[in-house]
Amino acid sequence: MDSFPLLVIGFILGAIIMYWLFSRFRSKQQKERTNEQSVILLEKIRSVCKLISVEGDFAEIYSYENTKDLFMNLFAGRKKALVIINAKTHIGYDFRKIEMRADTDKKKIILTHFPQPEVLSIEPHLKFYDIKNSMFNTFSSDDLTNLNKEARQHIMDKIPKSGLMETAKKEALEAVLLIEKIAETIGWKLDYSALELAENQKKILEK
């Protein structure tokens, strides 16, 4: 009978130790699962890669002329063409340039830097008119390749004055909301307080 209280005390102590070990193990598992969630979430956001927010169409007339000096500069061979450039451009954001970190304790993604909009693609389509070749200077396949490059650069030079970049900046809110929705899919929150947003955009996000 004297050993009965000792057995009870031993049983209680054993139960306490087992509960403590179980709690520690469960806590460790939960932390590992949360860390794994944060890694998956960050990669999921980056995997979106590029978000097109603005699309623009350009129609430009481009005059191409090339002169080649021949026979010790005694003669000149000239070729020229009128080129109609129809181009579609996409302006948006490269999500790989976003800077963010995860707060696993609060299940929060902290957005610290959002990139500026950039040209994601230019798709030029060329039509040639009034093509004129000289005897010793004619259009070749290399000329067409170079013309495509020049057309692309011509459109690139037009973009800053087109207003597309300013429009894309106004659409930055949509990109932030997309990231917020991605975070919410696994029960996380997005903290964008470090970003500089216009007052009207902040009001929309706070709703």
Side-chain angles (χ1 to χ4, degrees):
M1 293 295 292
D2 293 338
S3 62
F4 181 74
L6 294 175
L7 288 173
V8 172
I9 293 170
F11 178 78
I12 294 172
L13 287 174
I16 292 172
I17 292 169
M18 288 296 294
Y19 177 77
W20 180 79
L21 289 173
F22 175 75
S23 298
R24 291 274 294 180
F25 177 73
R26 187 176 180 181
S27 176
K28 184 178 179 182
Q29 273 195 326
Q30 181 66 28
K31 188 173 182 180
E32 288 176 353
R33 187 158 53 246
T34 303
N35 286 334
E36 184 180 357
Q37 273 189 334
S38 69
V39 172
I40 292 172
L41 180 56
L42 292 175
E43 290 306 315
K44 189 175 181 180
I45 291 171
R46 289 193 179 98
S47 69
V48 177
C49 286
K50 295 179 180 179
L51 173 69
I52 296 171
S53 60
V54 178
E55 184 178 275
D57 292 304
F58 289 83
E60 298 285 331
I61 299 175
Y62 182 65
S63 180
Y64 174 83
E65 184 173 318
N66 176 269
T67 302
K68 183 185 294 183
D69 292 324
L70 303 166
F71 305 112
M72 300 179 66
N73 299 331
L74 295 176
F75 299 97
R78 180 177 295 137
K79 59 186 174 186
K80 61 181 182 178
L82 195 63
V83 186
I84 306 298
I85 306 171
N86 290 299
K88 187 178 293 293
T89 63
H90 294 129
I91 312 294
Y93 299 91
D94 188 343
F95 278 17
R96 291 171 297 183
K97 296 180 180 179
I98 288 175
E99 294 177 9
M100 55 188 172
R101 59 186 176 85
D103 185 339
T104 54
D105 293 332
K106 297 180 180 179
K107 284 197 172 183
K108 184 190 297 182
I109 295 297
I110 301 168
L111 203 57
T112 58
H113 171 72
F114 198 80
Q116 291 295 312
E118 60 185 81
V119 178
L120 299 179
S121 68
I122 297 178
E123 302 168 7
H125 299 281
L126 309 184
K127 292 183 179 180
F128 296 87
Y129 296 92
D130 194 25
I131 300 174
K132 293 180 180 179
N133 293 303
S134 65
M135 184 179 297
F136 299 104
N137 192 9
T138 59
F139 280 95
S140 65
S141 58
D142 289 339
D143 289 322
L144 298 179
T145 301
N146 291 330
L147 269 171
N148 268 287
K149 290 179 181 178
E150 290 183 24
R152 181 183 173 85
Q153 187 58 50
H154 182 73
I155 297 300
M156 183 71 80
D157 295 338
K158 294 284 182 179
I159 289 174
K161 296 180 181 179
S162 68
L164 290 174
M165 288 298 184
E166 286 70 20
T167 303
K169 286 179 181 179
K170 294 176 183 178
E171 298 295 328
L173 172 63
E174 297 297 326
V176 174
L177 289 174
L178 175 61
I179 296 174
E180 188 173 44
K181 292 298 181 185
I182 293 173
E184 287 176 355
T185 57
I186 60 170
W188 285 59
K189 291 183 178 181
L190 177 69
D191 182 352
Y192 56 87
S193 59
L195 300 182
E196 293 183 5
L197 296 174
E199 281 302 317
N200 60 332
Q201 291 178 331
K202 288 181 180 179
K203 288 177 182 178
I204 294 173
L205 283 170
E206 289 169 358
K207 286 182 180 181

